[in-house]
Amino acid sequence: MGTRWQEVHIEAPVEKVFAFFADPNNFNQLEGRGGDYVDVVVTPQGVGTHYRMVSRMAGVEVDIDGRYTEVVPNRRIVDDTRGSLAGNVLGGSFTYRFEPEGTGTRVVFDPTHPGVVSRLPLLGHVIETQLAHSHQPVMDELKALLERRARDAP
């Protein structure tokens, strides 16, 4: 089990928070998402949902393919990713857990098998560190967006 990278409390029902994560197209609504989600295919059962995320990190193109390999409605999504950055292979299995907490939802982002395979170990470490820290601003923006929607909902 990997180190827990981020968790956030979102003052919105778990069903609404889970639904946002269940469709990768929704991440295009976030400014800090780190890239554009394209070629998204959402399956009815959730498992097999896949996407491509393209972006630039420090001026270098990043291309990542993601696939939901486990989906437990309103509880968990496991996202397996593979990609490349400057000749380095990126990959990992990332679990999003959704837990009712008070009147809202606790979301835990947990990399279960994060990894960067690099020809240069120091560069691999730098990339892993950058990826780890890039998720917190997205989680903060996600929190603000979903809480605003929950407040504005009729």
Side-chain angles (χ1 to χ4, degrees):
M1 189 63 87
T3 303
R4 182 180 295 166
W5 283 357
Q6 281 92 21
E7 69 179 64
V8 64
H9 174 86
I10 298 174
E11 197 56 46
V14 70
E15 298 81 12
K16 299 282 187 188
V17 176
F18 180 87
F20 185 93
F21 279 82
D23 182 349
N25 282 303
N26 289 325
F27 289 101
N28 285 320
Q29 299 172 45
L30 304 173
E31 293 296 321
R33 68 189 174 275
D36 294 319
Y37 286 73
V38 298
D39 303 329
V40 176
V41 175
V42 178
T43 64
Q45 69 278 16
V47 172
T49 290
H50 56 94
Y51 62 90
R52 199 169 136 241
M53 197 270 290
V54 292
S55 69
R56 297 188 77 69
M57 182 183 291
V60 178
E61 186 172 308
V62 180
D63 194 341
I64 295 174
D65 292 310
R67 179 172 299 273
Y68 290 1
T69 57
E70 180 183 349
V71 176
V72 179
N74 300 323
R75 303 218 31 226
R76 180 175 51 254
I77 294 174
V78 177
D79 184 6
D80 284 340
T81 63
R82 298 289 176 267
S84 64
L85 168 65
N88 298 282
V89 178
L90 307 174
S93 180
F94 304 94
T95 300
Y96 296 92
R97 289 186 293 130
F98 308 89
E99 303 166 358
E101 183 176 70
T103 58
T105 305
R106 179 173 164 231
V107 179
V108 179
F109 171 71
D110 189 11
T112 52
H113 302 289
V116 174
V117 177
S118 175
R119 295 181 304 247
L120 302 170
L122 181 58
L123 179 57
H125 176 73
V126 169
I127 293 169
E128 284 183 351
T129 301
Q130 175 63 31
L131 291 172
H133 293 292
S134 69
H135 284 87
Q136 190 61 51
V138 173
M139 296 292 269
D140 293 342
E141 186 180 357
L142 177 66
K143 172 184 173 65
L145 174 69
L146 292 179
E147 288 182 349
R148 184 173 53 253
R149 285 184 180 172
R151 278 192 312 272
D152 296 346

